[in-house]
Amino acid sequence: MAVTRKVIIIGSGPAGYTAAIYAARANLSPLMLTGVQKGGQLMLTTLVENYPGFVDGLMGPELMEIMRKQAERFGTEMVAEDATAVDFSRRPFVVRAGEDEWEGHTVVLATGASSKLLGLDAERTLMGRGVSTCATCDGFFFRDQNIMVVGGGDSAMEEALYLARLGRKVEVVHRRDRLRASKIMQERAFKHPKIEFVWNSAVEDIRDVAQGKVTTVLLKNLQTGEIAERPVDGLFIAIGHQPNTAIVRGQVDLLPNGYVKVAPGTTRTSVPGVFAAGDVQDHVYRQAVTAASTGCMAALEAERYLEATQPH
Ligand code: NAP
């Protein structure tokens, strides 16, 4: 095994990259497991208008590319692998990616969160064949076609607005009669001539698995129980996210909702020397800028932990 690293960062969203920038500038020579698909959720986003420092906004993937270059510039070593296991029961800690393994005196968990799904069999079967969780990735395939978006949050509005540029019409299906999205996003969606809302409704089933593509969606009105079948070519699921904690389950304390538990106002997990930053520990704010800020905190806390525990 190679030399024990001072800091190993798992994940490459705003939290991971910011932790890397701070750790690298503190001469901690961080190793980052970026994951096979680097960049986190912002790689699946369109225009980011609320990240400070960019007056006109910029595209999510562009923002992540800038952060990656900044982290690299200060000497972060990046490995394009997914961490598959960790061992926090021994010291130094061990992080594995398949056959490869690394030792670290500290670990920053920045594995983020992934899209939630409805849980229908047809949804799984037709994923990538008409069902999608990423408008910017797949919207192109549904030009001038019927598109449906499920959800009532900012993600759903963002997806609907993006897809309305491409599709014939976009129906937003929401399980309640009011949106959770921010007012500005709601207003934009309400104003858009191609976007329609279907309230108090849930996706009951998706057809047609036999044809291997989406043809119709069965919607259940949750107030009347009535089922309606609507012609749909592309179904976009935008109902929120769940934290990516599979590799740390049983090793650090999690909250009942599955997010990593950190000491209030810090990124300290239940294991001294292991820090958690970004969406993997934030079920409240979940913004790029808050992820970046906790990434900064994690690096500073790791630095202090190393100073206190590792003789120079
Ligand atoms: P979210 O705010 O948690 O919204 C999820 C939506 O999906 C809610 O409307 C929820 O319904 C619905 N939902 C959840 N589970 C469902 C299910 N099983 N079946 C049907 N509907 C379901 O998630 P989000 O929209 O991904 O946003 C997450 C965070 O990121 C928020 O803080 C948001 O502000 C932020 N964000 C910001 C932007 C932006 O500013 N441009 C863009 C994207 C995200 P209920 O309303 O009934 O709970």
Side-chain angles (χ1 to χ4, degrees), residues 27 36 46 112 145 164 173 188 191 210 232 237 266:
N27 274 343
V36 176
T46 49
Q145 298 185 37
V173 175
R188 281 182 199 170
K191 258 197 256 165
V232 173
I237 315 292
T266 78

Side-chain angles (χ1 to χ4, degrees), residues 47 50 116-118 150-156 158 174-176 178-180 182 185 238-241 284-287:
L47 192 61
N50 50 14
K116 273 195 209 161
L117 295 175
L118 298 170
V150 187
D154 277 329
S155 297
E158 193 175 65
H174 184 37
R175 62 185 178 183
R176 293 187 296 134
R178 88 173 58 145
L179 298 174
R180 180 178 296 280
S182 56
M185 297 297 275
I239 60 170
H241 299 88
V284 178
Y285 303 105
R286 299 181 291 186
Q287 303 298 303

